[in-house]
Amino acid sequence: MTILTKTIRRTAFLFALPFLIWSGYWAASAQAITKGVSLASEDTQFLGLSAQFEVASVTGYPQRFTVGLSDIEIGTENSFIWKTQGVSLEAKSYLPNEITLELSEPHRISGSLGELDIDAAHAEITALFQPNWRLALGNISLSFNDLKIASANQWGASIGTVLASVKSFPDNSNAYQLSAELENLNLSDVIVGVPAKYQTIQNLSLLSEILLTRPLDRLIIGNGVPTLQRLLLQKAQFDFGTSLISVDGEFAYDKNRALNGILNVTVQDWKSLFNLAKDVGYIEPNLENFFAMILADLAAQEGSDDTLTIPLNIQNNKISYGALNLGILP
């Protein structure tokens, strides 16, 4: 064997070595993914869930890992069941801790609201887990287009676009930021007996922070899902006809799991909503002037004839406005 031949072989081996290492990594990872997903149905029992599904082989070499699940049924005993024909899980080979769940197949959910059929032209959830042994959630994002929800009771709703995310705070593993944007929420089957402009919400946005009892990580399999300790609602806003409704507040649970806090509801163009309430019979005719005077005084306190803010107090799950008791939270 000549020196030239040896050099060529060594050079070829050096070029082939990265591909051999990568192929070995991909094959080992694909096997681990298949085994991990197959065992997931057993792991969900720790969370009080039951799960059944079929697992397809992992594909996507060399750039990604893609595995399909079919004939899925996940639920809790006598309370919640989710069924769908199939979903797919995908992760880039060089970033296996970022997982995308593709959900564009039709779904059926059975629960406290009855049976709901859900479908979307595009639906996916992407979760990024921190690369440590706890696999703590870094962030999760949801994206849905042309989402349709239909009930067995013959009512339905549709949403043009849904974008939502949950992000962890680097300085507090128990705290998360929640944000959401919805466009073209059509509730014409739900909100009936009112003009069409009140049956579609063009834009809805939400920004809040939550503090949980424990972080969202792999330990929830054995310890259960953490519960909410505190909620800071920085802003929730949506249009309703010509009015714009904004909500903000802060709430916390005490050691007895009773909710306490303040909720501020601000309504721009409140008079149009007041007139709508009169038209649909929510206000007794003999009380119209009384409520109109109270609301006008509230708006005047804010320095505006058109905008009013209603502060609601929540104490031990009881909602009140001043001395007026408005009800008890479930």
Side-chain angles (χ1 to χ4, degrees), residues 26-101:
W26 192 95
S29 299
Q31 185 178 10
I33 291 170
T34 302
K35 184 177 180 180
V37 174
S38 298
L39 293 175
S41 60
E42 300 176 9
D43 291 340
T44 55
Q45 294 176 2
F46 289 99
L47 301 175
L49 300 175
S50 62
Q52 298 178 4
F53 47 78
E54 296 293 329
V55 184
S57 59
V58 180
T59 60
Y61 174 84
Q63 297 94 347
R64 63 183 64 85
F65 302 108
T66 302
V67 59
L69 309 180
S70 59
D71 299 325
I72 300 170
E73 182 174 327
I74 298 175
T76 58
E77 186 176 357
N78 300 323
S79 60
F80 172 85
I81 298 176
W82 168 46
K83 294 181 180 180
T84 185
Q85 288 299 310
V87 302
S88 66
L89 293 165
E90 182 173 297
K92 296 180 177 66
S93 301
Y94 59 85
L95 192 63
N97 56 313
E98 183 178 78
I99 301 172
T100 297
L101 180 64

Side-chain angles (χ1 to χ4, degrees), residues 96-229:
N97 56 313
E98 183 178 78
I99 301 172
T100 297
L101 180 64
E102 210 278 336
L103 296 160
S104 296
E105 291 283 345
H107 307 267
R108 172 163 290 184
I109 295 177
S110 303
S112 58
L113 297 177
E115 283 195 350
L116 298 177
D117 290 320
I118 301 174
D119 198 4
H122 170 77
E124 70 176 27
I125 301 173
T126 299
L128 176 65
F129 298 93
Q130 297 175 10
N132 51 43
W133 74 276
R134 293 176 66 106
L135 290 179
L137 179 68
N139 64 69
I140 183 170
S141 61
L142 296 80
S143 175
F144 300 89
N145 290 330
D146 295 329
L147 179 65
K148 294 180 174 57
I149 304 172
S151 167
N153 298 326
Q154 303 305 312
W155 64 265
S158 64
I159 309 175
T161 303
V162 179
L163 297 174
S165 69
V166 179
K167 296 181 179 179
S168 63
F169 284 95
D171 57 342
N172 190 341
S173 61
N174 292 10
Y176 299 86
Q177 182 184 72
L178 282 66
S179 62
E181 296 282 344
L182 279 71
E183 293 183 356
N184 297 324
L185 172 57
N186 188 328
L187 298 171
S188 56
D189 286 348
V190 180
I191 304 176
V192 296
V194 298
K197 65 181 180 180
Y198 293 104
Q199 295 178 333
T200 299
I201 296 174
Q202 300 297 328
N203 293 281
L204 184 152
S205 61
L206 169 70
L207 182 62
S208 64
E209 296 178 8
I210 61 171
L211 180 66
L212 304 179
T213 52
R214 296 190 309 276
L216 297 171
D217 55 31
R218 69 178 184 85
L219 298 183
I220 67 173
I221 295 176
N223 299 331
V225 179
T227 57
L228 179 67
Q229 280 189 317

